Amino acid sequence: MKKLLRNRDFILILSLVFGLLFGQGAQWVRPLILPVLALVMTLSTMLISSRMFRSPSALIIPCVLGIVMNYLVLSGMILIIASLLISDEALWTGFVVLASVPAAVAVAYKMPPYMM
């Protein structure tokens, strides 16, 4: 049973079945749905193992550095380079949107080629 619960395909099918059978239960945890979904999507794209959570204090500095690098350094570089190279207002707006969600670029980059 333990091996079965570690199989991600089984967990996906089990969650779909539970969602269809007990869908009204989501009303009780409605405020938690979006944050938990964001956490799961973030962790699944970063290929983080569950062993890393045994020492949560060791994760604080890498998490803060990752946020700073994504939202300050990467966004700043995108905006600086785009301001130097782009003169079209619509294209500039697209780069501003891209800079506001830099983590989405990393998610799209890690997708397998057959999904793009």
Side-chain angles (χ1 to χ4, degrees):
M1 182 69 167
K2 192 174 188 180
K3 187 176 181 180
L4 192 60
L5 289 176
R6 291 184 182 198
N7 184 341
R8 72 175 61 182
D9 296 329
F10 176 75
I11 292 173
L12 174 67
I13 293 170
L14 187 66
S15 64
L16 288 173
V17 169
F18 279 167
L20 292 172
L21 292 176
F22 306 109
Q24 296 303 322
Q27 298 297 328
W28 298 333
V29 292
R30 177 175 250 160
L32 297 175
I33 291 174
L34 193 57
V36 169
L37 180 62
L39 178 68
V40 168
M41 289 175 66
T42 301
L43 295 179
S44 68
T45 59
M46 295 175 12
L47 302 173
I48 293 178
S49 68
S50 60
R51 287 179 278 153
M52 293 186 75
F53 293 104
R54 292 188 181 140
S55 175
S57 61
L59 290 175
I60 292 174
I61 292 175
C63 286
V64 170
L65 286 175
I67 290 170
V68 167
M69 292 295 285
N70 263 315
Y71 286 95
L72 296 180
V73 177
L74 179 62
S75 295
M77 298 234 357
I78 289 171
L79 291 175
I80 289 169
I81 293 172
S83 68
L84 295 173
L85 300 175
I86 305 299
S87 60
D88 182 23
E89 186 178 341
L91 196 54
W92 166 254
T93 305
F95 275 99
V96 170
V97 171
L98 182 69
S100 66
V101 286
V105 176
V107 171
Y109 178 75
K110 292 186 178 192
M111 291 176 93
Y114 64 86
M115 293 183 72
M116 294 182 137

